[in-house]
Amino acid sequence: MKKAYLETYGCQMNVNDTEVIFSILQGAGYARTENIEEADLIMANTCSVRDNAEQRIWGRLEVFNRQRKLRPGTLVGIVGCMAERLKDKLLDTRKVDLVAGPDAYRSLPRLLEAIAPESPQIDVLLSREETYADITPVRTDKNGISAFISIMRGCNNVCSYCVVPYTRGAERSRDAHSIVREACDVYQKGYKEVTLLGQNVDSYLWKSGTECVNFARLLEMVAAVAPDLRVRFATSHPKDISDEVIAVMASHPNICRHIHLPVQSGSSRMLALMRRKYDREWYLERVAAIRKAMPDCGLTTDVIAGFCSETEQDHQDTLSLMEEVGFDWAFMFAYSDRPGTLANRTMQDDVPADVKNRRLNEIIGLQNRKSLERYRSQIGKELEVLVEGPSKRDPAQLCGRASNNMMCVFPARGRQAGTYAHVRVTDCTSATLICE
Ligand code: SAH
Ligand code: SF4
Ligand code: F3S
């Protein structure tokens, strides 16, 4: 068998896509390798969401090419979101043999077969139907305990800053029964946690004949697979997360108490320009509804600093919202102008880089303080942790996540990965609970 080496960048959906790609490549006679030096095929599954994500890939392409020269016959491919966006530019470099977009992975065997010197192959067609529903991903996780399952692809929102609708195409939901089958399958293989993935899971809607499954119903179906199979999901959209979803979470102990709810900005004026379709008050109301139903629910978010025309007041609104909500954790970014987006075409990227960075640093500083507060508030509590394996820092300790997604470390005492441990929190940092 030939060997394929694949690096993954970007979001969790890409991580799962890589697993689908390995499954398809198996059918074409390629086994997975983690050693680039023995690879017959080297690929990167890429991300276009911010400019620095793309810059990293151009750097990797140089490394791949050095390898291609050392070992003639080795093929180099770029797949994923950047392939979709930069197909011509990638082919012009003459450093790639293969370019395939997120909906073209079924063509990989045919494309690989057709590659010839001076004849790179490309397929970046987006589909309205493709969900890879029938493909069993080759799991690439290290622990065999937590698996990702894609429940939908694409995105129908047009947040003005975001390239995803262009790189991934229109939103489509995967057959609900194929999702439940995949959850059963991983459970039988020993997994204890599944994370349902989509750009906006709350708008999941699958219809067939008289059957109609929304996200709340899907959560119930997956939660019913086994009481000791944990269910997580990402990402929720503040405009779409419904009372029904919150109620289903609250009534199922194996649906984890954690919601990733990207706010992007605390200023209603910015949110309107971003086309998020909610305002500050709406967001705070959703947070209140979540906390009323599940006081112990973990909340995390994404924040963008320095979007077009952002004023000092808008920035203060973001800080005050973060202060008010108290997120456990956040992904925080400086706004990056992306070619082709609505903001790129109709707005000015007019916040100077130094101002963007200063605001980002203030946001990060505030969040670090808030994270420490949130983690400290857990001291003394008893939590149920799914054991993932030895802690990275100290092999005599184990690590695993609590339902609220906080990472816990605790003495091993002969416990095995994949079991549930009951721990008491004794101390913390801003990212880890130290437990006994
Ligand atoms: N579908 C998810 C997020 C997808 S992209 C959602 O709607 O929340 C992940 C995160 O990247 C976004 O939440 C946003 O915070 C950030 N992001 C997207 N485009 C960006 C851009 N042009 N510049 C900076 N950050 C961006
Ligand atoms: Fe991008 Fe908005 Fe879709 Fe998220 S919901 S992927 S931010 S367009
Ligand atoms: Fe990046 Fe594509 Fe995900 S642009 S964030 S890899 S959907």
Side-chain angles (χ1 to χ4, degrees):
M1 246 187 162
K2 286 176 284 188
K3 292 202 170 83
Y5 169 91
L6 182 39
E7 291 180 1
T8 308
Y9 299 85
C11 59
Q12 288 182 332
M13 311 217 56
N14 255 15
V15 175
N16 189 230
D17 278 8
T18 289
E19 300 181 323
V20 166
I21 293 170
F22 275 125
S23 178
I24 292 169
L25 286 177
Q26 262 182 359
Y30 284 90
R32 174 177 176 225
T33 177
E34 292 186 71
N35 177 2
I36 192 169
E37 283 162 21
E38 62 170 22
D40 303 287
L41 170 62
I42 301 173
M43 296 204 287
N45 189 2
T46 59
C47 177
S48 275
V49 81
R50 282 168 294 276
D51 184 56
N52 55 12
E54 288 188 352
Q55 292 312 324
R56 263 171 88 190
I57 307 289
W58 290 114
R60 290 308 290 161
L61 201 50
E62 296 304 319
V63 175
F64 293 177
N65 256 270
R66 249 173 273 145
Q67 195 57 34
R68 185 164 74 159
K69 290 202 184 103
L70 283 175
R71 207 167 168 272
T74 304
L75 301 176
V76 170
I78 295 289
V79 301
C81 292
M82 197 171 154
E84 195 63 48
R85 204 181 86 68
L86 291 171
K87 45 195 177 278
D88 299 328
K89 204 172 159 198
L90 283 163
L91 287 176
D92 286 348
T93 62
R94 306 168 69 90
K95 288 176 179 164
V96 291
D97 305 292
L98 172 77
V99 176
D103 287 344
Y105 300 147
R106 280 183 209 270
S107 338
L108 284 173
R110 179 176 54 76
L111 297 170
L112 285 165
E113 193 66 32
I115 291 169
E118 303 299 316
S119 169
Q121 296 294 310
I122 172 167
D123 185 346
V124 291
L125 280 184
L126 288 170
S127 154
R128 292 194 161 271
E129 289 91 35
E130 181 62 88
T131 59
Y132 301 112
D134 55 317
I135 292 177
T136 307
V138 173
R139 303 287 162 196
T140 58
D141 58 276
K142 294 270 187 291
N143 58 23
I145 287 159
S146 184
F148 294 125
I149 302 183
S150 290
I151 63 165
M152 59 208 295
R153 300 183 69 82
C155 182
N156 276 359
N157 297 308
V158 253
C159 302
S160 56
Y161 51 81
C162 182
V163 79
V164 171
Y166 307 94
T167 61
R168 295 223 156 215
E171 179 185 291
R172 61 225 104 115
S173 294
R174 175 179 169 187
D175 180 329
H177 302 295
S178 78
I179 295 167
V180 174
R181 267 199 304 278
E182 192 170 327
C184 290
D185 178 57
V186 296
Y187 181 68
Q188 270 155 17
K189 289 181 175 141
Y191 284 81
K192 289 289 163 56
E193 184 172 85
V194 293
T195 304
L196 309 181
L197 295 177
Q199 291 297 353
N200 176 1
V201 289
D202 304 286
S203 69
Y204 176 88
L205 191 64
W206 178 74
K207 290 182 186 155
S208 170
T210 55
E211 233 185 327
C212 181
V213 180
N214 66 7
F215 184 56
R217 178 78 194 104
L218 180 73
L219 269 181
E220 282 184 316
M221 289 163 70
V222 178
V225 166
D228 65 337
L229 180 69
R230 277 183 167 185
V231 185
R232 296 185 182 277
F233 54 88
T235 300
S236 298
H237 197 302
K239 81 176 162 67
D240 294 316
I241 186 163
S242 64
D243 292 338
E244 194 191 358
V245 165
I246 296 170
V248 166
M249 284 180 79
S251 61
H252 290 75
N254 62 330
I255 303 179
C256 289
R257 263 106 185 98
H258 169 234
I259 301 180
H260 185 62
L261 197 65
V263 65
Q264 315 300 0
S265 169
S267 152
S268 292
R269 190 183 77 85
M270 282 292 105
L271 290 169
L273 283 177
M274 289 173 165
R275 303 229 169 179
R276 290 289 285 178
K277 302 196 180 108
Y278 56 85
D279 59 12
R280 179 187 174 100
E281 285 64 42
W282 174 277
Y283 187 90
L284 291 172
E285 187 282 325
R286 289 290 78 194
V287 169
I290 293 163
R291 291 205 163 136
K292 183 155 181 260
M294 295 171 287
D296 53 348
C297 190
L299 272 180
T300 53
T301 200
D302 296 349
V303 181
I304 299 177
F307 184 60
C308 306
S309 86
E310 187 186 72
T311 63
E312 217 44 48
Q313 183 55 50
D314 296 316
H315 169 58
Q316 289 302 326
D317 289 348
T318 296
L319 294 175
S320 74
L321 180 133
M322 294 173 74
E323 184 73 56
E324 187 170 339
V325 174
F327 296 104
D328 298 345
W329 182 252
F331 294 104
M332 298 158 283
F333 313 102
Y335 170 60
S336 166
D337 185 23
R338 306 311 291 133
T341 58
L342 196 71
N344 173 260
R345 285 180 280 124
T346 65
M347 299 171 208
Q348 291 289 328
D349 179 14
D350 55 1
V351 178
D354 56 332
V355 177
K356 260 185 209 174
N357 285 328
R358 193 252 305 150
R359 289 181 187 166
L360 178 62
N361 284 331
E362 288 176 12
I363 287 170
I364 293 171
L366 169 64
Q367 183 52 46
N368 286 345
R369 182 162 62 72
K370 282 287 167 187
S371 292
L372 188 58
E373 250 174 52
R374 294 284 306 162
Y375 278 68
R376 270 202 192 127
S377 75
Q378 305 292 309
I379 293 177
K381 285 194 183 164
E382 291 182 17
L383 301 173
E384 185 181 68
V385 176
L386 174 58
V387 182
E388 285 179 17
S391 142
K392 280 188 202 95
R393 293 236 179 100
D394 175 2
Q397 303 262 320
L398 290 174
C399 68
R401 287 178 191 280
S403 176
N404 67 9
N405 210 36
M406 288 183 180
M407 183 55 88
C408 301
V409 297
F410 45 93
R413 299 261 172 80
R415 277 177 199 283
Q416 298 297 314
T419 60
Y420 290 95
H422 291 91
V423 302
R424 182 180 294 108
V425 185
T426 56
D427 199 358
C428 73
T429 68
S430 61
T432 311
L433 296 176
I434 297 157
C435 310
E436 58 182 24

